[in-house]
Amino acid sequence: MAVQTLEPQDHGRDAQFARAMHGESGTMRGGLTSLFRKNSETMKSAVDGYFRYWTGKSIGEQTNEYATRTKLYYDLVTDFYEYGWGQSFHFCRSSYGESFSEAITRHEHYLAHSMNLKEGMKVLDVGSGVGGPARQIAKFSGVHVTGININDYQIRRATCYASKSGQAEDVRFVKGDFMQMPFEDKSFDAVYSIEATVHAPDLEAIYREIFRVLKPGGVFGVYEWVMTDNYDDTNPSHRDMRLGLEMGGGIVNTISNRRDALAAIEAAGFEVLHQEDLARREDAIPWYWPFAGRMSYAQSLVDCFTVVWLSSWGLSASHKIFGFLESIGLAPAGTKKTADSLALTAAALAATGKEHLFSPMYLMIGRKPL
Ligand SMILES: CC(C)=CCC[C@@H](C)[C@H]1CC[C@H]2C3=C(CC[C@]12C)[C@@]1(C)CC[C@H](O)C[C@@H]1CC3
């Protein structure tokens, strides 16, 4: 295993930066309402700081500042994610007759079910976003969920949502780098992670850290971002598509292929109970449908808007709209650049999804031996 250098932490500095950039927007309605309340100058420094990583370096050679980069990425995209996607930052399987939010919830329940979570368990959510999955899983399984997150703004939003939904006793959110978690060995009965460990600089190292905090006999469940067996690293167009995912997704390392992800979880010490790429199930509606540009996948008027707005036409219109809002000072500096970067990911998701080169839902369930 390659030895990964851990990034030194400075929580005081992070908190100060978050206060300066986000002000009180962490407790407001999410999405554009919060986006328009940023401090423009600090947001600009976040944009410059984040995008500087993409100049003159190749992916996989720039993993040292993994925590800073992930933090900055989520400082920039969280409001976009909430406005365009909701409070659960992940993909899901979909079926006809099921709304987008039902499908998202089903994906979360499916993980909890596959892990056999039971009432009263102490569960860790690694990379907990604004807490959509944690609140849902705590409710579904009757467990207590601790979320660990590197981004102060997301922690604030997650904590706020939990108290609004009356779940302040059932979920809590802790600031920290998931590569060096502030928990004792063997602290949790179960650990899950939904499309978050792809932000790690080294997959085996994050799985080892999860192994450490899990009790013997405890289960780890993950939806991992992977390149599938169809992906050919020697094919320049495949590589470009993968790079698009990495750049727009704030990913510091190259996205692992499925076999390497499986090898990493095994090397970390887990006994693999189940592994399956859920994107390969014969679903009538593919996981990447919002980006596929096909009206036949839309099931409601809102879905129709989603299809238009996430089409190349819609994304170039939003480029112009955000540019205009930025120029009149309504949107903070860097809004257009962030939206453009997400548009790149949207295109890469559609392309890699259609060609089955990538999956955001490679499910692995591992057990820490007794
Ligand atoms: C980045 C990782 C590891 C996980 C997040 C997965 C998804 C929730 C996001 C990946 C690409 C994102 C985009 C949006 C929402 C969240 C994602 C689907 C937007 C729809 C948000 C609104 C913007 O105008 C367009 C974005 C396209 C990409």
Side-chain angles (χ1 to χ4, degrees), residues 252-263:
V252 295
N253 204 358
T254 42
I255 301 172
S256 301
N257 65 44
R258 186 194 63 80
R259 287 163 207 271
D260 289 345
L262 185 59

Side-chain angles (χ1 to χ4, degrees), residues 74 80-81 85 89-91 195 198-199 225 249 309-310 342:
Y74 283 108
F80 280 96
Y81 274 28
W85 210 252
F89 298 164
H90 59 80
F91 290 96
E195 301 183 29
V198 67
H199 289 298
W225 270 34
W309 157 58
L310 293 177
L342 286 173

